[in-house]
Amino acid sequence: DAGVIQSPRHEVTEMGQEVTLRCKPISGHDYLFWYRQTMMRGLELLIYFNNNVPIDDSGMPEDRFSAKMPNASFSTLKIQPSEPRDSAVYFCASTPGGELFFGEGSRLTVL
Amino acid sequence: GDSVTQMEGPVTLSEEAFLTINCTYTATGYPSLFWYVQYPGEGLQLLLKATKADDKGSNKGFEATYRKETTSFHLEKGSVQVSDSAVYFCALLFMNRDDKIIFGKGTRLHILP
């Protein structure tokens, strides 16, 4: 079975550019989570969805960040405009309830 | 609020040494407890879990016992291997409450050959 699929795996961009990260959760999983991981701050929950509806976005750092889930099989995390401090690995995870299944992450570097 | 505290790393051990990574939690009620592992360049994956007091989770030679009296879920392995080098995260979850897993900060483990 395919796991959680994220794209791109690596993204290098310049400050001020728009960045879009994509996630396809495991089919049948009702919950989808977006995390950010850095050496300094560790693993941070940004936002999560239940049945495509955002439930808690209190971890979204600021208005430059937005996330959508237009259907059960696709979600995006957008950063506009990007800044160097956004450099991190962004993980998507899904679950039917309980154990989380993580994607391999999208490593973002903002120059 | 609910939280997880785990020992800070990095932890460096020689191959075949005994491993303990401490984890304690603060929660109102009785959550499910998890250990996740993150190998270099990968996402987190579930290592083991326990859903009620005195349960023991085990996988790949690792074990952890849910101790309600000490609110702990320490991870142990009797003989570590170089391939166990990774970051280990302790986590808790209240099923059917808010469905949001709370992670500890992670403990990096280095195993020397």
Side-chain angles (χ1 to χ4, degrees):
Chain A
D1 286 342
V4 175
I5 299 172
Q6 293 187 244
S7 64
R9 289 295 312 278
H10 301 275
E11 173 98 2
V12 180
T13 191
E14 293 189 344
M15 183 173 64
Q17 296 298 305
E18 178 179 292
V19 173
T20 300
L21 307 178
R22 298 172 178 81
C23 175
K24 177 179 169 55
I26 295 172
S27 177
H29 285 191
D30 295 330
Y31 292 88
L32 183 142
F33 296 76
W34 281 101
Y35 288 89
R36 177 173 68 177
Q37 187 177 40
T38 62
M39 289 294 291
M40 292 297 294
R41 294 188 297 268
L43 193 66
E44 303 172 279
L45 175 63
L46 300 178
I47 185 172
Y48 78 97
F49 297 82
N50 181 17
N51 290 318
N52 314 336
V53 176
I55 302 301
D56 183 352
D57 66 354
S58 60
M60 296 286 263
E62 48 198 275
D63 292 344
R64 297 184 298 107
F65 286 69
S66 62
K68 293 182 180 179
M69 193 165 184
N71 56 62
S73 59
F74 184 65
S75 178
T76 59
L77 178 68
K78 186 175 292 187
I79 308 172
Q80 167 62 17
S82 58
E83 297 182 3
R85 61 192 167 122
D86 302 329
S87 297
V89 181
Y90 291 81
F91 288 102
C92 177
S94 70
T95 178
E99 176 188 351
L100 277 176
F101 295 80
F102 282 78
E104 293 190 320
S106 294
R107 180 175 295 277
L108 173 64
T109 303
V110 183
L111 303 175
Chain B
D2 303 330
S3 65
V4 174
T5 302
Q6 56 183 111
M7 61 191 292
E8 291 199 18
V11 174
T12 302
L13 296 172
S14 297
E15 203 166 24
E16 299 183 5
F18 184 86
L19 168 70
T20 300
I21 300 178
N22 290 336
C23 171
T24 57
Y25 67 90
T26 301
T28 51
Y30 304 110
S32 296
L33 300 174
F34 304 83
W35 277 101
Y36 281 79
V37 59
Q38 184 180 28
Y39 298 105
E42 298 183 12
L44 281 70
Q45 56 186 272
L46 181 67
L47 180 60
L48 54 83
K49 67 180 181 182
T51 57
K52 61 183 188 297
D54 300 325
D55 269 1
K56 177 186 282 188
S58 61
N59 186 23
K60 299 181 181 179
F62 290 89
E63 293 183 339
T65 301
Y66 191 142
R67 302 286 188 198
K68 184 178 67 174
E69 61 277 9
T70 55
T71 62
S72 65
F73 193 55
H74 304 322
L75 182 68
E76 296 182 335
K77 186 174 185 181
S79 176
V80 292
Q81 306 300 312
V82 172
S83 57
D84 294 326
S85 298
V87 181
Y88 293 81
F89 293 86
C90 187
L92 67 81
L93 169 69
F94 283 98
M95 294 291 293
N96 303 316
R97 194 170 84 175
D98 56 14
D99 298 307
K100 189 168 62 175
I101 288 186
I102 296 172
F103 285 96
K105 294 190 175 183
T107 302
R108 185 175 298 276
L109 175 65
H110 293 294
I111 306 300
L112 304 175

